[in-house]
Amino acid sequence: MKTLTTGEIAKLCDVNLRTVIRWIDRGALKGFKLPGRGNNRVMVEDFIAFLNENGMPIPPELASEDNRRVLVIDDEPAITRVIRRILRAEGYEVSVANDGFQGGTKLLQELPALVTLDLSMPGMDGFEVLEFIRKTPEVAHTRVAVISALGDKELQRAREAGADLVLSKPFNNEQLIGVVKELIG
């Protein structure tokens, strides 16, 4: 059970300590008082929910804590099913987006630790999604594994654009698990 003090929250949000205490007193931020002196504490999950509800960015150091969420962005249903099945069996939480636009939306909502990204998709392609990820402060720290059937030249371009690792299609289960574990444990 990881908790935060009102002082830690004030620093993370760049607000005055009294502001955080008011949020708790008004019920906007779920917290509890410790016995004795009555100091406030807030569960990390409750703080992240508060930030999401109020459209505030989640600090990278909190977004990655115990985060086993993986977002699969690929337009091929057969590939998304395979990746989902393999990663769920390894204990990861997996969600799927079938195109780049939907992927960007889910990325900001779910704040996964890792995105697996196909480069070749209709509409917003994988390169545009990768650029969006690296230029958006709330998700710029997200690890990205490009999984694509495109050639070496495109895979190198993806690395240069900010992909953490690349994996060529077709791949086997062990390769996929190895990539994910290398990036997020």
Side-chain angles (χ1 to χ4, degrees):
M1 174 174 92
K2 175 83 172 101
T3 61
L4 298 168
T5 66
T6 50
E8 290 169 332
I9 293 171
K11 256 187 211 158
L12 290 168
C13 293
D14 194 26
V15 297
N16 188 289
L17 177 68
R18 292 291 317 145
T19 302
V20 177
I21 293 169
R22 277 194 291 277
W23 289 340
I24 294 170
D25 290 344
R26 277 188 284 158
L29 176 58
K30 186 177 169 188
F32 59 93
K33 290 197 182 292
L34 294 176
R37 294 183 56 194
N39 293 335
N40 289 302
R41 292 292 184 273
V42 176
M43 302 280 289
V44 171
E45 301 81 37
D46 294 332
F47 178 55
I48 290 173
F50 169 80
L51 293 174
N52 284 330
E53 288 166 13
N54 291 284
M56 297 167 74
I58 295 176
E61 61 268 27
L62 294 181
S64 61
E65 271 190 34
D66 297 329
N67 187 347
R68 295 185 57 82
R69 289 186 299 277
V70 178
L71 175 60
V72 178
I73 306 175
D74 198 311
D75 63 325
E76 295 177 54
I79 295 293
T80 59
R81 279 193 303 272
V82 166
I83 295 172
R84 177 189 278 162
R85 179 182 48 79
I86 293 168
L87 295 182
R88 280 190 175 162
E90 291 293 314
Y92 295 96
E93 296 173 43
V94 182
S95 61
V96 173
N98 298 311
D99 61 50
F101 183 78
Q102 185 185 33
T105 303
K106 282 192 166 193
L107 183 68
L108 290 171
Q109 290 172 342
E110 299 174 7
L111 300 170
L114 171 69
V115 169
T116 67
L117 179 63
D118 184 21
L119 295 175
S120 171
M121 295 181 290
M124 188 177 187
D125 70 16
F127 291 106
E128 292 171 291
V129 174
L130 189 53
E131 181 181 350
F132 170 78
I133 291 170
R134 294 302 177 228
K135 287 186 175 181
T136 306
E138 296 87 351
V139 294
H141 64 280
T142 304
R143 308 306 299 265
V144 178
V146 166
I147 301 177
S148 181
L150 295 178
D152 290 340
K153 188 176 178 183
E154 286 83 3
L155 294 178
Q156 182 57 37
R157 185 174 149 217
R159 277 191 199 96
E160 291 165 2
D164 295 294
L165 279 175
V166 296
L167 181 62
S168 295
K169 290 179 187 174
F171 55 87
N172 65 39
N173 295 7
E174 289 76 28
Q175 288 173 309
L176 176 63
I177 292 166
V179 163
V180 173
K181 286 187 175 178
E182 182 176 334
L183 292 176
I184 63 170

